[in-house]
Amino acid sequence: MTRKLETFLERLETTNTVDDLSSLADILRDTYGVKNMSYLATNLNGLPFVSSTYDPKWAQHYEDQNYMLIDPVVRGALLQFNPLDWKQLDWSSKRTREFFHEAVDFGVGRQGYTIPIRGPNGQAAIFAINHDSNDAGWDRYIGEHAHDFMLISHYFHQKALAATHTTEPIEGRDLSPRELDVLKYLGIGLSRGKVAEILKISEHTLRVYVDSARYKLGALNTTHAVAIALARGVIAV
Amino acid sequence: MTRKLETFLERLETTNTVDDLSSLADILRDTYGVKNMSYLATNLNGLPFVSSTYDPKWAQHYEDQNYMLIDPVVRGALLQFNPLDWKQLDWSSKRTREFFHEAVDFGVGRQGYTIPIRGPNGQAAIFAINHDSNDAGWDRYIGEHAHDFMLISHYFHQKALAATHTTEPIEGRDLSPRELDVLKYLGIGLSRGKVAEILKISEHTLRVYVDSARYKLGALNTTHAVAIALARGVIAV
DNA sequence: TCAACCCTCCCCATAAATGGGGAGGGCGAA
DNA sequence: TTCGCCCTCCCCATTTATGGGGAGGGTTGA
């Protein structure tokens, strides 16, 4: 374990408030000698959480222009589990190239590395560092530091969860095996009739399971029940 | 970075097939001196993927008895982002205590440490090690090795994705902002009428967005469209 | 200039979901 | 023994979703 990592993790360990976490962005940028660092979580206790070294004007502009919808970094983070080098993203469209040049004008580095992070209940965060460097230098830098950033990004997220008091929902009781089956099949698009056929039960019976699952999950309708079950990870599509 | 970690990651780096990955379980167990190691992914290219040192009879029994529904390790992994020490799980019910004793009889260690892993599209995996040790010894062991296991579990998952040719779905086009809005609101349980009211559009217009989103996602109905959007991480509940 | 897409709105008819009610057998824990 | 839950099944009436059809204005990129 590098001394930089050890030092930073010790610092992170003693960090407990949202403000302190936010301040760590500057420390990480300086410790690791990159142009920018950012951590953006979208669903901590229902709120976004940002800790970044970006120019606040860039952050505001990014939000005003709804750039999250076209940012290839965000798209890549949604699609992949593995960390992403910005070079491997799709910058081919005019819009994304213009976005990139705007970002650079606001001080964002031309090379970037992003680690997608996912938690329960649709929690998602994106940890990124960026810098100005040539390809070979950046590849070498990432080769040397990828493990550090993998650890830092995950422990940072753990701290963000704690600092924002994000806890897992406990309301509702566990679903029965049949209730899970029903929601699973409905979640992959089958009709109630088809699900009943597959499970060899009547639609009336299936209806009882749907209603019971809705009640246990506190769902307002079937779509909501399926959505909650997916978010909880008890079913998948 | 410890020599053990470095050695294991180098080994992992040259591993590319499902069989080789499965074999790494024994190597990890021996390298780190634990009783058992297991990696279980539920949704790689639509199939489960297991690499573990458990007695195959235990694995079969676990599946036959549907223990995934009562295993506190699984429940904890669904609910939390942070790694879990098995001591912090809820073993209070008679069923879970009996399950635990059965597991021990089959050679599972009494102390355990689990790292939940989540990818896009509802991908989920559970990485766990377990051993027989007293509390203090186990705590010290985990204190020394938590960073190693955090890295190993994530790189292992990356390799499992590659070995199983698990790729992100590309079908369908991006959803428009309004389509995303509509699915988001429907996913948190609002009725079509209420969503139309909130977005200040008519239900007829909302219907067009629902139908368009269904078409783009290849969804069979509205519930399915919401489920796919959630799995893709473009909306959240 | 044209095509594709986004955003907006409407209609008819049918199928499905939901609100709300009823029922019984079996199993396990207190 | 009793209670709570799981699994199973049924009914009526109303509301909502869906199949399938129509329409127009604006913007952007080839």
Side-chain angles (χ1 to χ4, degrees), chain A residues 27-83:
Chain A
I27 297 175
L28 186 140
R29 177 195 59 200
D30 297 341
T31 301
Y32 280 87
V34 291
K35 204 172 184 185
N36 282 292
M37 169 273 184
S38 78
Y39 165 90
L40 166 64
T42 54
N43 198 19
L44 303 194
N45 237 345
L47 296 168
F49 178 93
V50 184
S51 172
S52 110
T53 57
Y54 289 131
D55 182 337
K57 288 194 231 106
W58 169 239
Q60 188 61 54
H61 183 71
Y62 187 100
E63 182 176 333
D64 291 346
Q65 298 294 323
N66 231 352
Y67 278 157
M68 188 167 280
L69 291 179
I70 62 167
D71 186 351
V73 174
V74 171
R75 168 191 298 269
L78 284 174
L79 289 173
Q80 287 197 29
F81 173 78
N82 293 17

Side-chain angles (χ1 to χ4, degrees), chain A residues 1-2 5 9 43 66 69 75 77-83 113 117-123 146-148 150-151 153-155 157-158 161 167-169 174-177 180 186-191 220-224 226-228 230-234 236-237, chain B residues 1-2 5 9 43 66 69 75 77-83 113 117-123 146-148 150-151 153-155 157-158 161 167-169 174-177 180 186-191 220-224 226-228 230-234 236-237:
Chain A
M1 169 147 76
T2 65
L5 175 64
L9 290 183
N43 198 19
N66 231 352
L69 291 179
R75 168 191 298 269
L78 284 174
L79 289 173
Q80 287 197 29
F81 173 78
N82 293 17
Y113 188 73
I117 298 172
R118 295 175 180 81
N121 280 317
Q123 265 175 38
H147 299 341
D148 284 19
M150 181 72 81
L151 290 172
S153 57
H154 283 81
Y155 292 132
H157 189 65
Q158 288 179 32
L161 294 175
T167 55
E168 67 272 15
D174 290 342
L175 301 178
S176 72
L180 289 168
L186 292 175
I188 59 176
L190 300 181
S191 65
L220 298 169
N221 54 48
T222 303
T223 299
H224 195 198
V226 169
I228 296 172
L230 276 167
R232 295 215 188 153
V234 294
V237 292
Chain B
M1 171 149 72
T2 65
L5 176 63
L9 290 183
N43 199 17
N66 230 352
L69 291 179
R75 168 191 297 270
L78 283 173
L79 290 174
Q80 287 197 27
F81 173 78
N82 293 18
Y113 188 72
I117 297 172
R118 295 173 180 84
N121 280 316
Q123 265 173 39
H147 299 341
D148 286 19
M150 180 72 80
L151 290 172
S153 57
H154 283 81
Y155 292 132
H157 189 65
Q158 289 180 29
L161 295 175
T167 56
E168 68 271 13
D174 290 342
L175 301 178
S176 72
L180 287 168
L186 291 175
I188 58 176
L190 300 180
S191 65
L220 299 170
N221 54 48
T222 303
T223 300
H224 195 198
V226 169
I228 295 172
L230 276 167
R232 296 221 186 144
V234 295
V237 293

Side-chain angles (χ1 to χ4, degrees), chain A residues 160-182:
Chain A
L161 294 175
T164 54
H165 308 292
T166 301
T167 55
E168 67 272 15
I170 310 185
E171 83 269 17
R173 301 191 311 278
D174 290 342
L175 301 178
S176 72
R178 277 315 219 193
E179 289 161 354
L180 289 168
D181 275 344
V182 164

Side-chain angles (χ1 to χ4, degrees), chain B residues 6 72-73 75 83 100-101 128 131 147 153 166 175 189 192 200 203 210:
Chain B
E6 194 167 354
V73 174
R75 168 191 297 270
F100 183 81
H101 287 121
H131 197 58
H147 299 341
S153 57
T166 300
L175 301 178
R192 290 190 179 202
K200 294 182 171 50
E203 279 199 55
V210 172

Side-chain angles (χ1 to χ4, degrees), chain A residues 76-96:
Chain A
L78 284 174
L79 289 173
Q80 287 197 29
F81 173 78
N82 293 17
L84 308 154
D85 191 286
W86 290 6
K87 291 197 289 293
Q88 74 186 88
L89 299 172
D90 179 9
W91 301 93
S92 57
S93 79
K94 188 177 173 188
R95 275 187 95 189
T96 55

